[in-house]
Amino acid sequence: MLKDWFSGKNEEETKDEKNELSKEEDQGTGGFFGRLKEGLTKTKKGITDRVDDLVKSYTKIDEDLFEELEEILISADIGVNTTMEVIDDLRERVKENKVTDPGEIKGLLKAILIEVLEEIAEPQLNIGTKPSLIMVVGVNGVGKTTSIGKIAHHLKKEGKNVLLAAGDTFRAGAIDQLKIWGDRSEIDVIAHAEGSDSAAVIYDAIHAAKSRKMDVLICDTAGRLHNKKNLMNELGKVFKIVNREWEGLAMESLLVVDATTGQNAIQQAKVFKEVTKISGLVLTKLDGTAKGGIVIALSRELKIPVKLIGVGEKIDDLQPFDPKAFVDALFDDGK
Amino acid sequence: MIFEGLSEKLQNTFSKLKGKGKLNEKDVNAAMREVKMALLEADVNFKIVKDFINRVKERSIGDEVLESLTPGQHVIKIVRDELTRLMGETQSKIEFGSKPPTVIMMAGLQGAGKTTTCGKLALHLKKQGKRPLMVACDIYRPAAINQLETVGKGVDVPVFSMGDKEKPVNIAKAALEHARKNGNDVMIIDTAGRLHIDTDLMDELRQIDRELNPNEKLLVVDSMTGQDAVNVAKEFNESLEITGVILTKLDGDTRGGAALSIRGVTNKPIKFVGMGEKLDELEAFHPDRMASRILGMGDMLSLIEKAEASIDQKKAKELQEKMRTQQFTFEDFLEQLEQIKNMGSIGDMLNMIPGMGGKQMKNLQVDEKELVYIEAIIQSMTPDERVNPSIINGSRRKRIAAGSGTTVQRVNKLIKQFEQTRKMMKQFGNMDKLKKKGKMNMPFFG
């Protein structure tokens, strides 16, 4: 029933587009993409089945159909505003192309969503200089430390020299958690004691990365709610130091967003973007039943590209984000 | 200020709803569209929204509009009441077993905040004179046990752990023995975050459930959760028959519609809310506050409430009549001032009115002292003067100023403003129009 969209010819086609992160995993049908598919299958079922059922129950395209499509998008956390815009767009295209068959409507809807994501797509991590820096930020509990463990593992497997900085000096156990991830991939972790100054740890790590001639430094930061002024100011201070010390070198500032999150993610992204100049998103926990539709709203409203997605708890469960694959997986009809 | 847009939208919808008496279907439908949007924006699951809207519609159409409210406000009042009702009661109690130790099991998705909440709950119980024990059953997430141990130190509550090699159910069983031996009357089991569709891990929870038969099984949910909250809550509830919910990270600015979704599918009480990263920041759940928050116009709702409680309907009607016939006197004005004072500070009131909060009003500071002066001046007038201000001549003004401890200028200003207002009131004819202009019969301020 479900189309294996990474098998056969499809795989050959998509292979070239893949981020360097995934090169090794790209080989087999299992492993990396197997897990993505597994993860997204659950995501997929929701929207696909419902669109199919819906389309079958209509013999012509009318307002009721649009309204129900609206509901389906909203139920994927795409959000009211973005949904309205997308549906308006769809309505126009139906008119322009003189579409009368309800069966064609899904293709049009898919195309619109892919466009939204592709317009700003930027799958490559900007880690071109030696050393390069990846800052990881986000609200509490989204999976920052876990994502860092996975990213570090991939870069290491690519042969890069990676260094980690335990910048979350606040949460109990956070430093140990990062150290365990470091041990798993045999990567050094620069850490101070719990409760110490986060900026100081990161400052030390920056100098360590430079003097040890590392390829990539990845810095963890404490989870913080974006509406906490003082915590955001503190993060601003960290970034001030980072920007000064890292001038002229490649840097990524990744915001980690939990796929389970609703509309609040927009506010999160807005505020974090102001303070840290977010260059990309990591969308985590896509292996649940949450659909992660919020990234469509984030792409459309804030123009922040999704770079990576988390599809499981294992160290390999991290994927480069591919807009077409993402939307295809949501809508794949097995043809 | 994020929700200002919504409040304004609702205000606009309200101003379109004219006429008094019974609510008609058209009024209701117009308001419902905005409410629906508000709920969806707040992440309430769309199915729950649909049911809810239908119920409110049914209840609203034909309902008598309260005198003090506009029809739109009245609809919102019904929405708020219904929402509060659905949200359940304030029930921040832990059910203790008849025989100690009481066993509390925490469960939830990854990153919901279980471990932190364990510590908060332990502290809460400790303050009640209990002797809690925390049990480290998250053997999967790296350093989860360390985290619980650190949290335990923070609240000075012992932590039972057996490392990450033993099965969680065995750890829990051993902990129960430990608690009995050491006189711990409550034990709180921290479990690993898991997906509701992960059958193996859900089985693990069921095992603990079977073996220890916990008194409380609390689902910990991130208040920022979106549409998926229904699936999560439904699955956990079906697998475990949870006894309650703890909503975390409510100190963020999420509207928290997940709360309604969870109630909708489980009908289990929300017992506590997490309000910060510090371990004493666990609070009781207030259904009315949550309802207001989800609607994103809480302050407007409190205003409705206050207006309902404070304004004496009959007097308001008499006043309206007096205004129309220009018989409004200082005596009436004094009475009005009393009512306004009952409603709280003017600054608060202005802030509560959607569209008036925020930027526009920031520079407009209402001097509460001004009220005191006005009151003093009116109280220094004779009954004759109050009813018939035209007799107040120069020497009377001097006397009033001296009597009220103010100046003649101030008295002059008040009388002049009063006359102007009377004229203006006549022009407007009735109070409703004044209210809609946001002037609320308070022409003396600003």
Side-chain angles (χ1 to χ4, degrees):
Chain A
M1 177 77 191
L2 301 168
K3 185 182 163 198
D4 186 355
W5 38 271
F6 285 111
S7 67
K9 202 175 155 232
N10 242 343
E11 190 187 356
E12 294 305 315
E13 280 169 7
T14 45
K15 219 168 169 178
D16 300 332
E17 300 163 15
K18 288 288 165 281
N19 184 312
E20 53 176 322
L21 259 182
S22 65
K23 265 177 194 153
E24 286 158 81
E25 285 73 26
D26 219 350
Q27 308 302 328
T29 45
F32 222 71
F33 285 108
R35 267 191 296 279
L36 166 67
K37 200 187 71 191
E38 231 173 77
L40 286 181
T41 301
K42 293 154 205 149
T43 313
K44 186 151 73 169
K45 265 183 193 155
I47 287 196
T48 304
D49 291 357
R50 290 184 49 214
V51 171
D52 283 344
D53 291 350
L54 180 61
V55 164
K56 270 183 217 142
S57 69
Y58 281 90
T59 51
K60 62 178 180 22
I61 297 172
D62 59 13
E63 273 311 299
D64 286 350
L65 177 60
F66 285 119
E67 206 169 290
E68 293 206 30
L69 286 170
E70 240 172 61
E71 264 172 17
I72 290 168
L73 295 184
I74 284 170
S75 74
D77 286 321
I78 288 173
V80 177
N81 284 340
T82 306
T83 296
M84 295 299 185
E85 286 169 20
V86 166
I87 293 290
D88 280 349
D89 207 350
L90 178 66
R91 212 173 259 139
E92 232 161 74
R93 286 190 202 194
V94 166
K95 219 158 126 198
E96 254 171 44
N97 303 327
K98 300 196 171 60
V99 177
T100 51
D101 176 10
E104 281 177 50
I105 206 152
K106 191 164 74 182
L108 284 176
L109 185 54
K110 236 163 94 171
I112 293 169
L113 296 178
I114 292 173
E115 271 170 40
V116 170
L117 295 170
E118 258 177 3
E119 194 192 325
I120 55 154
E122 212 192 301
Q124 300 279 350
L125 283 177
N126 175 21
I127 46 171
T129 64
K130 183 175 176 167
S132 293
L133 175 64
I134 303 176
M135 295 292 294
V136 179
V137 299
V139 299
N140 316 64
V142 288
K144 283 177 296 299
T145 310
T146 307
S147 295
I148 290 171
K150 293 175 184 175
I151 296 171
H153 173 75
H154 284 294
L155 293 175
K156 171 98 181 183
K157 265 171 62 178
E158 276 179 10
K160 296 222 187 307
N161 285 316
V162 183
L163 185 67
L164 300 180
D168 182 356
T169 53
F170 180 80
R171 181 171 59 92
I175 297 170
D176 293 326
Q177 189 180 349
L178 192 71
K179 279 182 176 165
I180 292 173
W181 280 108
D183 286 347
R184 286 180 185 173
S185 308
E186 291 170 359
I187 291 171
D188 279 350
V189 179
I190 303 288
H192 292 184
E194 201 176 295
S196 60
D197 182 16
S198 175
V201 182
I202 291 172
Y203 180 89
D204 278 1
I206 284 174
H207 286 274
K210 283 178 178 171
S211 65
R212 294 192 205 172
K213 304 209 176 347
M214 302 306 282
D215 293 313
V216 184
L217 167 66
I218 310 176
C219 298
D220 197 5
T221 63
R224 66 199 78 218
L225 290 173
H226 51 286
N227 62 334
K228 301 276 163 109
K229 261 262 146 60
N230 55 337
L231 294 182
M232 291 311 285
N233 287 343
E234 184 197 275
L235 191 64
K237 189 188 124 197
V238 170
F239 269 77
K240 219 173 128 187
I241 293 167
V242 166
N243 288 332
R244 189 186 67 211
E245 299 297 319
W246 210 258
E247 232 198 303
L249 293 167
M251 176 174 154
E252 280 280 357
S253 171
L254 299 178
L255 176 70
V256 182
V257 175
D258 182 335
T260 333
T261 311
Q263 301 311 301
N264 194 245
I266 295 174
Q267 199 54 30
Q268 291 172 18
K270 269 186 194 161
V271 180
F272 272 101
K273 196 179 172 190
E274 254 169 51
V275 178
T276 69
K277 304 239 169 11
I278 298 299
S279 59
L281 299 177
V282 180
L283 184 65
T284 59
K285 308 186 198 175
L286 261 180
D287 48 334
T289 47
K291 301 175 179 72
I294 194 68
V295 297
I296 292 178
L298 289 174
S299 296
R300 197 165 173 129
E301 284 184 31
L302 298 175
K303 311 281 176 212
I304 309 174
V306 187
K307 298 221 165 180
L308 298 162
I309 59 175
V311 292
E313 285 186 284
K314 287 182 220 86
I315 203 161
D316 285 325
D317 292 336
L318 187 79
Q319 280 290 312
F321 180 72
D322 175 351
K324 197 169 173 302
F326 183 75
V327 176
D328 268 354
L330 293 178
F331 283 91
D332 201 334
D333 53 8
K335 266 177 229 157
Chain B
M1 294 307 108
I2 312 155
F3 312 130
E4 225 167 32
L6 174 77
S7 292
E8 263 158 36
K9 240 193 277 168
L10 277 163
Q11 269 307 88
N12 291 337
T13 315
F14 293 158
S15 64
K16 280 179 224 142
L17 306 183
K18 282 189 183 135
K20 284 266 179 179
K22 286 183 171 152
L23 289 173
N24 65 41
E25 198 172 342
K26 231 178 101 198
D27 288 346
V28 174
N29 282 342
M32 276 315 117
R33 197 188 141 69
E34 298 302 335
V35 172
K36 183 179 159 188
M37 291 298 165
L39 295 177
L40 287 174
E41 281 292 340
D43 292 320
V44 180
N45 182 269
F46 80 102
K47 280 185 194 146
I48 309 261
V49 171
K50 252 188 166 174
D51 289 351
F52 179 77
I53 294 285
N54 285 337
R55 200 178 338 198
V56 173
K57 252 191 211 167
E58 257 170 49
R59 235 197 89 180
S60 310
I61 296 169
D63 211 25
E64 204 80 44
V65 178
L66 280 181
E67 291 272 355
S68 53
L69 303 177
T70 67
Q73 284 173 328
H74 188 83
V75 174
I76 295 303
K77 183 184 129 45
I78 297 175
V79 169
R80 190 263 330 256
D81 291 350
E82 194 67 11
L83 210 53
T84 308
R85 201 180 59 76
L86 274 183
M87 216 63 86
E89 291 153 28
T90 298
Q91 210 176 353
S92 49
K93 263 185 259 147
I94 292 293
E95 295 293 330
F96 296 106
S98 50
K99 206 176 90 204
T102 293
V103 178
I104 303 170
M105 178 167 80
M106 313 292 263
L109 297 182
Q110 291 92 343
K114 284 176 298 303
T115 307
T116 305
T117 306
C118 277
K120 288 180 177 182
L121 194 58
L123 182 63
H124 174 84
L125 293 170
K126 205 178 130 194
K127 280 182 185 162
Q128 290 182 6
K130 299 281 175 193
R131 298 190 59 219
L133 172 74
M134 296 198 281
V135 184
C137 281
D138 181 356
I139 56 168
Y140 305 103
R141 181 163 57 100
I145 297 171
N146 292 4
Q147 185 182 353
L148 192 69
E149 276 165 355
T150 309
V151 166
K153 268 182 215 134
V155 293
D156 195 20
V157 166
V159 173
F160 182 88
S161 76
M162 293 168 74
D164 57 6
K165 301 286 180 282
E166 198 63 55
K167 272 165 78 179
V169 63
N170 294 338
I171 299 172
K173 276 200 280 191
L176 189 64
E177 276 313 305
H178 180 91
R180 280 190 187 130
K181 255 188 234 151
N182 291 275
N184 297 109
D185 46 9
V186 188
M187 62 180 253
I188 304 170
I189 306 175
D190 186 23
T191 63
R194 66 202 70 216
L195 285 170
H196 48 292
I197 47 172
D198 187 328
T199 40
D200 291 346
L201 283 179
M202 289 305 279
D203 270 343
E204 182 192 283
L205 287 181
R206 272 194 295 264
Q207 258 181 4
I208 300 176
D209 187 19
R210 269 199 306 272
E211 293 287 334
L212 281 93
N213 197 20
N215 305 79
E216 291 272 12
K217 289 166 270 182
L218 301 175
L219 178 65
V220 181
V221 186
D222 185 331
S223 59
M224 293 180 273
T225 310
Q227 297 283 322
D228 200 41
V230 285
N231 300 325
V232 175
K234 192 166 163 265
E235 292 287 334
F236 270 97
N237 193 37
E238 279 172 8
S239 297
L240 285 179
E241 256 200 69
I242 59 167
T243 58
V245 175
I246 298 181
L247 218 50
T248 60
K249 308 178 204 172
L250 210 57
D251 50 328
D253 57 8
T254 179
R255 296 258 297 281
L260 187 63
S261 302
I262 294 163
R263 282 282 305 171
V265 292
T266 66
N267 208 29
K268 297 290 162 64
I270 297 172
K271 297 207 167 192
F272 296 97
V273 295
M275 291 300 291
E277 295 191 57
K278 289 195 206 83
L279 291 167
D280 58 355
E281 292 174 312
L282 185 75
E283 293 181 9
F285 172 71
H286 295 287
D288 47 341
R289 281 186 213 164
M290 197 66 221
S292 302
R293 180 172 180 150
I294 289 175
L295 279 173
M297 40 181 210
D299 298 341
M300 157 115 190
L301 293 168
S302 345
L303 183 67
I304 292 175
E305 238 164 54
K306 287 191 174 179
E308 274 179 298
S310 314
I311 305 269
D312 185 321
Q313 293 305 315
K314 229 170 133 195
K315 277 193 184 148
K317 238 192 181 141
E318 278 171 22
L319 196 64
Q320 202 175 335
E321 197 47 45
K322 279 183 177 166
M323 281 182 181
R324 200 170 292 159
T325 52
Q326 218 186 335
Q327 283 166 358
F328 184 66
T329 66
F330 271 119
E331 200 71 60
D332 297 322
F333 185 58
L334 198 61
E335 226 168 69
Q336 249 189 305
L337 279 184
E338 287 302 319
Q339 287 194 343
I340 289 169
K341 265 169 39 188
N342 289 339
M343 289 173 73
S345 87
I346 304 284
D348 280 357
M349 296 242 314
L350 290 177
N351 272 328
M352 279 181 209
I353 302 169
M356 292 188 87
K359 284 174 220 136
Q360 307 100 297
M361 301 303 284
K362 232 175 216 159
N363 302 322
L364 198 153
Q365 294 263 324
V366 176
D367 190 357
E368 302 267 333
K369 274 189 202 147
E370 197 68 23
L371 263 185
V372 181
Y373 288 133
I374 291 170
E375 237 181 307
I377 292 173
I378 299 174
Q379 274 162 350
S380 299
M381 294 177 184
T382 65
D384 265 358
E385 286 166 349
R386 293 187 203 180
V387 177
N388 197 358
S390 59
I391 64 168
I392 306 176
N393 57 22
S395 72
R396 283 177 192 256
R397 283 172 206 229
K398 255 185 225 163
R399 193 206 75 238
I400 293 168
S404 59
T406 58
T407 59
V408 175
Q409 283 93 326
R410 220 181 251 279
V411 176
N412 283 340
K413 199 175 147 203
L414 180 66
I415 293 172
K416 200 175 161 202
Q417 282 175 326
F418 181 76
E419 293 298 343
Q420 280 174 352
T421 309
R422 239 181 9 174
K423 262 184 220 152
M424 195 177 75
M425 279 175 178
K426 204 191 173 190
Q427 280 167 7
F428 281 126
N430 66 52
M431 261 174 77
D432 294 337
K433 283 183 188 160
L434 278 177
K435 260 190 200 163
K436 276 190 192 118
K437 288 208 178 276
K439 298 226 168 177
M440 283 290 281
N441 333 326
M442 296 186 295
F444 291 84
F445 308 104

